[in-house]
Amino acid sequence: MKDILTAPFLIDFVRTLTNMYRLGWDERNGGNVSMIVDEEKLLPYLNPRKVLREIPIGFAAPELAGRYFLVTGTGKYFKNVQYDPAANLGLFRLSKSGDTAELLWGYSDGGQFTSELPAHLMSHAARLRVDPAHRIVMHTHPGNLLAMTFVHTLDEKEFTRTLWQMCTECIVVFPDGVNVLPWMLCGTTSIGEATAAKMANARLVVWSQHGIYGAGRDLDETFGLIETAEKGAEIYMKIAHLPRLATITDEQLHLLEGRFGLKVREGYLD
Ligand code: 13P
Ligand code: ZN
């Protein structure tokens, strides 16, 4: 067996979390990330029959039974992940019944997966239904997106259109738009179900006054999605209180749609 700390998927994961911390998105234990790991990528590093612990997940996700997940630990600080991946992360297989995490590596101090596991697993299931290549769910607390939920309408079309108008690239990166949940109690199956429902037609879901969820095929794509939305929100927070002398018009957004062959969210442009 090779050392799992040398596995490209683990190195990529640790580097991404370190970068998220560097950007100030993940204060203290804020944020959590999960990645579906395909079995062939895992087999050189782990024996899938060697289960270290069985941890009930508190709900069932039968659609994901048998899949492997690399998931941040609850209460763990992103800033520490690079120094001790085994204590801050865990890799488990979801049991046949879909209700138990069969731990194969990590959570080495006796810890367990993030309190937001319902939102992660339910979002994975929702995204896999629309995209078989989907692999990543990322939750984080970027300051400008969070700030925007205090001063902007939470109407999804309006919220999306504002972000698209803030930087030319926004509509190119997330033509499917941004869905928005009102404030809800986090760490529950209810917010998990609500998030997954919102993931059916968009890869970004804002949790008002809390943070954002992003979904994608790999870590770079998912990180880039949130990074771009956060840039849009940053521009908005810089200009919202100033007289607006120019904007990106719907006509110009249509030009981008044509130039980049985008599938823009139905009904969002005039
Ligand atoms: P965890 O430490 O359980 O991952 O929770 C952090 C968080 O961001 C809750 O939404
Ligand atoms: Zn959070």
Side-chain angles (χ1 to χ4, degrees):
M1 284 285 151
K2 294 202 254 180
D3 179 0
I4 192 168
L5 295 179
T6 66
F9 69 82
L10 190 76
I11 292 171
D12 198 15
F13 199 84
V14 172
R15 282 184 183 162
T16 302
L17 268 59
T18 303
N19 202 24
M20 292 168 76
Y21 174 71
R22 187 186 64 80
L23 290 170
W25 295 358
D26 298 283
E27 74 292 341
R28 201 175 184 277
N29 64 312
N32 23 79
V33 182
S34 62
M35 170 163 74
I36 298 172
V37 183
D38 293 322
E39 192 168 51
E40 67 270 17
K41 288 197 179 144
L42 179 132
L43 289 181
Y45 305 97
L46 284 177
N47 176 354
R49 287 179 299 280
K50 215 171 143 194
V51 175
L52 305 176
R53 264 195 284 157
E54 294 200 343
I55 315 171
I57 65 169
F59 61 101
E63 277 175 87
L64 302 172
R67 293 251 191 191
Y68 298 92
F69 297 90
L70 180 61
V71 185
T72 51
T74 186
K76 300 304 187 194
Y77 295 24
F78 279 23
K79 79 181 178 68
N80 295 337
V81 172
Q82 62 176 320
Y83 305 111
D84 194 351
N88 292 290
L89 310 175
L91 200 155
F92 61 81
R93 177 180 49 228
L94 199 61
S95 64
K96 279 201 185 81
S97 47
D99 63 0
T100 304
E102 299 169 341
L103 184 66
L104 301 176
W105 174 82
Y107 306 142
S108 63
D109 59 2
Q112 66 171 45
F113 41 76
T114 173
S115 59
E116 305 293 2
L117 195 69
H120 281 261
L121 294 193
M122 291 175 190
S123 295
H124 279 300
R127 290 307 306 170
L128 282 169
R129 269 176 237 139
V130 292
D131 179 13
H134 159 85
R135 292 293 179 273
I136 311 290
V137 172
M138 186 177 283
H139 166 58
T140 182
H141 302 165
N144 293 291
L145 278 163
L146 226 155
M148 201 171 147
T149 66
F150 289 87
V151 297
H152 193 281
T153 165
L154 300 178
D155 177 83
E156 290 170 343
K157 181 174 166 184
E158 291 309 315
F159 202 93
T160 297
R161 287 176 49 81
T162 294
L163 290 176
W164 284 349
Q165 288 165 353
M166 291 303 108
C167 339
T168 297
E169 296 278 303
C170 276
I171 196 171
V172 180
V173 175
F174 50 93
D176 44 345
V178 178
N179 285 340
V180 183
L181 282 180
W183 188 93
M184 288 179 75
L185 186 61
C186 56
T188 60
T189 51
S190 314
I191 202 169
E193 284 158 3
T195 307
K198 294 282 185 194
M199 282 280 179
N201 60 353
R203 294 163 299 151
L204 287 168
V205 179
V206 167
W207 280 11
S208 295
Q209 296 87 45
H210 182 139
I212 190 163
Y213 269 75
R217 294 177 168 185
D218 60 39
L219 287 161
D220 267 2
E221 183 196 273
T222 315
F223 174 85
L225 204 52
I226 295 177
E227 186 183 29
T228 308
E230 171 63 2
K231 173 59 79 68
E234 181 184 351
I235 307 300
Y236 178 76
M237 294 309 296
K238 282 188 202 292
I239 65 159
H241 59 294
L242 299 172
R244 189 92 57 98
L245 303 181
T247 191
I248 302 175
T249 63
D250 278 27
E251 204 178 353
Q252 291 166 334
L253 291 169
H254 277 301
L255 287 175
L256 289 161
E257 184 182 26
R259 166 67 181 81
F260 292 96
L262 307 174
K263 256 180 85 180
V264 170
R265 181 82 163 261
E266 192 84 19
Y268 271 33
L269 288 183
D270 289 336

PDB file of all heavy atoms in Angstrom, residues 10-31:
ATOM      1  N   LEU A  10      -5.828  13.522  -2.278  1.00  0.00           N
ATOM      2  CA  LEU A  10      -5.717  14.055  -0.914  1.00  0.00           C
ATOM      3  C   LEU A  10      -4.905  15.358  -0.915  1.00  0.00           C
ATOM      4  O   LEU A  10      -5.271  16.341  -0.260  1.00  0.00           O
ATOM      5  CB  LEU A  10      -5.089  13.033   0.028  1.00  0.00           C
ATOM      6  CG  LEU A  10      -5.182  13.451   1.498  1.00  0.00           C
ATOM      7  CD1 LEU A  10      -6.582  13.236   2.045  1.00  0.00           C
ATOM      8  CD2 LEU A  10      -4.185  12.719   2.359  1.00  0.00           C
ATOM      9  N   ILE A  11      -3.821  15.376  -1.695  1.00  0.00           N
ATOM     10  CA  ILE A  11      -2.986  16.588  -1.789  1.00  0.00           C
ATOM     11  C   ILE A  11      -3.821  17.752  -2.339  1.00  0.00           C
ATOM     12  O   ILE A  11      -3.804  18.861  -1.797  1.00  0.00           O
ATOM     13  CB  ILE A  11      -1.745  16.309  -2.667  1.00  0.00           C
ATOM     14  CG1 ILE A  11      -0.815  15.321  -1.943  1.00  0.00           C
ATOM     15  CG2 ILE A  11      -1.021  17.598  -3.031  1.00  0.00           C
ATOM     16  CD1 ILE A  11       0.339  14.797  -2.780  1.00  0.00           C
ATOM     17  N   ASP A  12      -4.608  17.475  -3.367  1.00  0.00           N
ATOM     18  CA  ASP A  12      -5.467  18.485  -3.986  1.00  0.00           C
ATOM     19  C   ASP A  12      -6.482  19.018  -2.969  1.00  0.00           C
ATOM     20  O   ASP A  12      -6.728  20.230  -2.869  1.00  0.00           O
ATOM     21  CB  ASP A  12      -6.184  17.802  -5.170  1.00  0.00           C
ATOM     22  CG  ASP A  12      -6.771  18.789  -6.158  1.00  0.00           C
ATOM     23  OD1 ASP A  12      -6.406  19.978  -6.104  1.00  0.00           O
ATOM     24  OD2 ASP A  12      -7.603  18.356  -6.997  1.00  0.00           O
ATOM     25  N   PHE A  13      -7.035  18.111  -2.174  1.00  0.00           N
ATOM     26  CA  PHE A  13      -8.045  18.455  -1.165  1.00  0.00           C
ATOM     27  C   PHE A  13      -7.433  19.378  -0.105  1.00  0.00           C
ATOM     28  O   PHE A  13      -7.989  20.432   0.217  1.00  0.00           O
ATOM     29  CB  PHE A  13      -8.554  17.154  -0.533  1.00  0.00           C
ATOM     30  CG  PHE A  13      -9.878  17.258   0.184  1.00  0.00           C
ATOM     31  CD1 PHE A  13     -11.077  17.156  -0.511  1.00  0.00           C
ATOM     32  CD2 PHE A  13      -9.929  17.403   1.566  1.00  0.00           C
ATOM     33  CE1 PHE A  13     -12.295  17.217   0.153  1.00  0.00           C
ATOM     34  CE2 PHE A  13     -11.141  17.471   2.243  1.00  0.00           C
ATOM     35  CZ  PHE A  13     -12.320  17.374   1.536  1.00  0.00           C
ATOM     36  N   VAL A  14      -6.268  18.985   0.415  1.00  0.00           N
ATOM     37  CA  VAL A  14      -5.606  19.766   1.470  1.00  0.00           C
ATOM     38  C   VAL A  14      -5.219  21.146   0.941  1.00  0.00           C
ATOM     39  O   VAL A  14      -5.427  22.165   1.612  1.00  0.00           O
ATOM     40  CB  VAL A  14      -4.372  19.003   2.013  1.00  0.00           C
ATOM     41  CG1 VAL A  14      -3.567  19.879   2.962  1.00  0.00           C
ATOM     42  CG2 VAL A  14      -4.804  17.710   2.706  1.00  0.00           C
ATOM     43  N   ARG A  15      -4.686  21.192  -0.268  1.00  0.00           N
ATOM     44  CA  ARG A  15      -4.280  22.482  -0.851  1.00  0.00           C
ATOM     45  C   ARG A  15      -5.484  23.404  -1.026  1.00  0.00           C
ATOM     46  O   ARG A  15      -5.394  24.614  -0.802  1.00  0.00           O
ATOM     47  CB  ARG A  15      -3.608  22.266  -2.206  1.00  0.00           C
ATOM     48  CG  ARG A  15      -2.193  21.789  -2.054  1.00  0.00           C
ATOM     49  CD  ARG A  15      -1.508  21.683  -3.416  1.00  0.00           C
ATOM     50  NE  ARG A  15      -0.168  21.163  -3.267  1.00  0.00           N
ATOM     51  CZ  ARG A  15       0.553  20.640  -4.237  1.00  0.00           C
ATOM     52  NH1 ARG A  15       0.039  20.568  -5.456  1.00  0.00           N
ATOM     53  NH2 ARG A  15       1.763  20.199  -4.015  1.00  0.00           N
ATOM     54  N   THR A  16      -6.601  22.837  -1.447  1.00  0.00           N
ATOM     55  CA  THR A  16      -7.799  23.652  -1.669  1.00  0.00           C
ATOM     56  C   THR A  16      -8.305  24.235  -0.348  1.00  0.00           C
ATOM     57  O   THR A  16      -8.626  25.426  -0.258  1.00  0.00           O
ATOM     58  CB  THR A  16      -8.897  22.805  -2.350  1.00  0.00           C
ATOM     59  OG1 THR A  16      -8.384  22.307  -3.579  1.00  0.00           O
ATOM     60  CG2 THR A  16     -10.143  23.620  -2.625  1.00  0.00           C
ATOM     61  N   LEU A  17      -8.357  23.421   0.700  1.00  0.00           N
ATOM     62  CA  LEU A  17      -8.822  23.906   2.010  1.00  0.00           C
ATOM     63  C   LEU A  17      -7.889  24.975   2.566  1.00  0.00           C
ATOM     64  O   LEU A  17      -8.341  25.960   3.161  1.00  0.00           O
ATOM     65  CB  LEU A  17      -8.927  22.733   2.997  1.00  0.00           C
ATOM     66  CG  LEU A  17     -10.298  22.051   3.074  1.00  0.00           C
ATOM     67  CD1 LEU A  17     -10.742  21.490   1.739  1.00  0.00           C
ATOM     68  CD2 LEU A  17     -10.317  20.976   4.127  1.00  0.00           C
ATOM     69  N   THR A  18      -6.598  24.776   2.363  1.00  0.00           N
ATOM     70  CA  THR A  18      -5.607  25.743   2.838  1.00  0.00           C
ATOM     71  C   THR A  18      -5.825  27.091   2.150  1.00  0.00           C
ATOM     72  O   THR A  18      -5.762  28.147   2.774  1.00  0.00           O
ATOM     73  CB  THR A  18      -4.189  25.203   2.532  1.00  0.00           C
ATOM     74  OG1 THR A  18      -4.075  23.921   3.151  1.00  0.00           O
ATOM     75  CG2 THR A  18      -3.102  26.122   3.062  1.00  0.00           C
ATOM     76  N   ASN A  19      -6.127  27.024   0.868  1.00  0.00           N
ATOM     77  CA  ASN A  19      -6.372  28.234   0.097  1.00  0.00           C
ATOM     78  C   ASN A  19      -7.665  28.924   0.536  1.00  0.00           C
ATOM     79  O   ASN A  19      -7.728  30.153   0.643  1.00  0.00           O
ATOM     80  CB  ASN A  19      -6.441  27.855  -1.393  1.00  0.00           C
ATOM     81  CG  ASN A  19      -6.161  29.042  -2.277  1.00  0.00           C
ATOM     82  OD1 ASN A  19      -5.502  29.996  -1.865  1.00  0.00           O
ATOM     83  ND2 ASN A  19      -6.689  29.005  -3.478  1.00  0.00           N
ATOM     84  N   MET A  20      -8.681  28.142   0.827  1.00  0.00           N
ATOM     85  CA  MET A  20      -9.945  28.716   1.303  1.00  0.00           C
ATOM     86  C   MET A  20      -9.704  29.469   2.613  1.00  0.00           C
ATOM     87  O   MET A  20     -10.237  30.559   2.827  1.00  0.00           O
ATOM     88  CB  MET A  20     -10.993  27.612   1.504  1.00  0.00           C
ATOM     89  CG  MET A  20     -11.435  26.976   0.202  1.00  0.00           C
ATOM     90  SD  MET A  20     -12.388  25.464   0.456  1.00  0.00           S
ATOM     91  CE  MET A  20     -13.966  26.147   0.954  1.00  0.00           C
ATOM     92  N   TYR A  21      -8.901  28.881   3.491  1.00  0.00           N
ATOM     93  CA  TYR A  21      -8.572  29.549   4.762  1.00  0.00           C
ATOM     94  C   TYR A  21      -7.816  30.852   4.498  1.00  0.00           C
ATOM     95  O   TYR A  21      -8.112  31.900   5.065  1.00  0.00           O
ATOM     96  CB  TYR A  21      -7.744  28.631   5.672  1.00  0.00           C
ATOM     97  CG  TYR A  21      -7.309  29.403   6.897  1.00  0.00           C
ATOM     98  CD1 TYR A  21      -8.231  29.752   7.870  1.00  0.00           C
ATOM     99  CD2 TYR A  21      -5.998  29.861   7.034  1.00  0.00           C
ATOM    100  CE1 TYR A  21      -7.866  30.533   8.958  1.00  0.00           C
ATOM    101  CE2 TYR A  21      -5.631  30.635   8.122  1.00  0.00           C
ATOM    102  CZ  TYR A  21      -6.565  30.969   9.074  1.00  0.00           C
ATOM    103  OH  TYR A  21      -6.212  31.734  10.142  1.00  0.00           O
ATOM    104  N   ARG A  22      -6.847  30.765   3.576  1.00  0.00           N
ATOM    105  CA  ARG A  22      -6.024  31.926   3.235  1.00  0.00           C
ATOM    106  C   ARG A  22      -6.870  33.108   2.766  1.00  0.00           C
ATOM    107  O   ARG A  22      -6.540  34.264   2.998  1.00  0.00           O
ATOM    108  CB  ARG A  22      -5.034  31.513   2.140  1.00  0.00           C
ATOM    109  CG  ARG A  22      -3.991  32.536   1.772  1.00  0.00           C
ATOM    110  CD  ARG A  22      -3.154  32.065   0.580  1.00  0.00           C
ATOM    111  NE  ARG A  22      -3.934  31.913  -0.642  1.00  0.00           N
ATOM    112  CZ  ARG A  22      -4.290  32.908  -1.460  1.00  0.00           C
ATOM    113  NH1 ARG A  22      -3.925  34.142  -1.184  1.00  0.00           N
ATOM    114  NH2 ARG A  22      -5.006  32.690  -2.545  1.00  0.00           N
ATOM    115  N   LEU A  23      -7.990  32.819   2.097  1.00  0.00           N
ATOM    116  CA  LEU A  23      -8.861  33.876   1.585  1.00  0.00           C
ATOM    117  C   LEU A  23      -9.799  34.423   2.656  1.00  0.00           C
ATOM    118  O   LEU A  23     -10.607  35.323   2.383  1.00  0.00           O
ATOM    119  CB  LEU A  23      -9.669  33.338   0.402  1.00  0.00           C
ATOM    120  CG  LEU A  23      -8.832  33.082  -0.859  1.00  0.00           C
ATOM    121  CD1 LEU A  23      -9.650  32.338  -1.898  1.00  0.00           C
ATOM    122  CD2 LEU A  23      -8.314  34.388  -1.430  1.00  0.00           C
ATOM    123  N   GLY A  24      -9.728  33.862   3.850  1.00  0.00           N
ATOM    124  CA  GLY A  24     -10.570  34.375   4.937  1.00  0.00           C
ATOM    125  C   GLY A  24     -11.993  33.852   4.902  1.00  0.00           C
ATOM    126  O   GLY A  24     -12.874  34.366   5.587  1.00  0.00           O
ATOM    127  N   TRP A  25     -12.233  32.819   4.105  1.00  0.00           N
ATOM    128  CA  TRP A  25     -13.588  32.289   3.983  1.00  0.00           C
ATOM    129  C   TRP A  25     -13.959  31.394   5.175  1.00  0.00           C
ATOM    130  O   TRP A  25     -15.119  31.184   5.451  1.00  0.00           O
ATOM    131  CB  TRP A  25     -13.734  31.425   2.723  1.00  0.00           C
ATOM    132  CG  TRP A  25     -13.577  32.134   1.421  1.00  0.00           C
ATOM    133  CD1 TRP A  25     -13.362  33.473   1.209  1.00  0.00           C
ATOM    134  CD2 TRP A  25     -13.624  31.524   0.126  1.00  0.00           C
ATOM    135  NE1 TRP A  25     -13.281  33.713  -0.140  1.00  0.00           N
ATOM    136  CE2 TRP A  25     -13.437  32.552  -0.826  1.00  0.00           C
ATOM    137  CE3 TRP A  25     -13.812  30.214  -0.325  1.00  0.00           C
ATOM    138  CZ2 TRP A  25     -13.436  32.292  -2.192  1.00  0.00           C
ATOM    139  CZ3 TRP A  25     -13.809  29.948  -1.683  1.00  0.00           C
ATOM    140  CH2 TRP A  25     -13.622  30.997  -2.612  1.00  0.00           C
ATOM    141  N   ASP A  26     -12.952  30.816   5.821  1.00  0.00           N
ATOM    142  CA  ASP A  26     -13.227  29.745   6.795  1.00  0.00           C
ATOM    143  C   ASP A  26     -12.598  30.023   8.149  1.00  0.00           C
ATOM    144  O   ASP A  26     -11.593  29.435   8.534  1.00  0.00           O
ATOM    145  CB  ASP A  26     -12.786  28.392   6.218  1.00  0.00           C
ATOM    146  CG  ASP A  26     -13.572  28.071   4.966  1.00  0.00           C
ATOM    147  OD1 ASP A  26     -14.734  27.661   5.087  1.00  0.00           O
ATOM    148  OD2 ASP A  26     -13.046  28.297   3.859  1.00  0.00           O
ATOM    149  N   GLU A  27     -13.234  30.964   8.852  1.00  0.00           N
ATOM    150  CA  GLU A  27     -12.807  31.280  10.214  1.00  0.00           C
ATOM    151  C   GLU A  27     -13.030  30.069  11.129  1.00  0.00           C
ATOM    152  O   GLU A  27     -13.935  29.287  10.925  1.00  0.00           O
ATOM    153  CB  GLU A  27     -13.599  32.491  10.738  1.00  0.00           C
ATOM    154  CG  GLU A  27     -15.059  32.209  11.120  1.00  0.00           C
ATOM    155  CD  GLU A  27     -15.996  31.864   9.969  1.00  0.00           C
ATOM    156  OE1 GLU A  27     -15.675  32.153   8.804  1.00  0.00           O
ATOM    157  OE2 GLU A  27     -17.070  31.288  10.254  1.00  0.00           O
ATOM    158  N   ARG A  28     -12.216  29.940  12.126  1.00  0.00           N
ATOM    159  CA  ARG A  28     -12.347  28.873  13.127  1.00  0.00           C
ATOM    160  C   ARG A  28     -12.671  27.532  12.429  1.00  0.00           C
ATOM    161  O   ARG A  28     -11.914  27.127  11.564  1.00  0.00           O
ATOM    162  CB  ARG A  28     -13.419  29.274  14.165  1.00  0.00           C
ATOM    163  CG  ARG A  28     -13.303  28.530  15.469  1.00  0.00           C
ATOM    164  CD  ARG A  28     -14.312  29.038  16.503  1.00  0.00           C
ATOM    165  NE  ARG A  28     -14.122  28.384  17.775  1.00  0.00           N
ATOM    166  CZ  ARG A  28     -14.629  27.201  18.082  1.00  0.00           C
ATOM    167  NH1 ARG A  28     -15.377  26.533  17.222  1.00  0.00           N
ATOM    168  NH2 ARG A  28     -14.388  26.669  19.262  1.00  0.00           N
ATOM    169  N   ASN A  29     -13.794  26.891  12.785  1.00  0.00           N
ATOM    170  CA  ASN A  29     -14.152  25.637  12.109  1.00  0.00           C
ATOM    171  C   ASN A  29     -15.142  25.873  10.974  1.00  0.00           C
ATOM    172  O   ASN A  29     -15.771  24.930  10.488  1.00  0.00           O
ATOM    173  CB  ASN A  29     -14.753  24.644  13.106  1.00  0.00           C
ATOM    174  CG  ASN A  29     -16.063  25.146  13.690  1.00  0.00           C
ATOM    175  OD1 ASN A  29     -16.123  26.290  14.123  1.00  0.00           O
ATOM    176  ND2 ASN A  29     -17.085  24.320  13.692  1.00  0.00           N
ATOM    177  N   GLY A  30     -15.311  27.140  10.575  1.00  0.00           N
ATOM    178  CA  GLY A  30     -16.286  27.456   9.529  1.00  0.00           C
ATOM    179  C   GLY A  30     -16.002  26.718   8.230  1.00  0.00           C
ATOM    180  O   GLY A  30     -14.855  26.600   7.815  1.00  0.00           O
ATOM    181  N   GLY A  31     -17.058  26.230   7.614  1.00  0.00           N
ATOM    182  CA  GLY A  31     -16.959  25.561   6.328  1.00  0.00           C
ATOM    183  C   GLY A  31     -16.726  24.063   6.456  1.00  0.00           C
ATOM    184  O   GLY A  31     -16.288  23.573   7.500  1.00  0.00           O
TER     185      GLY A  31
END
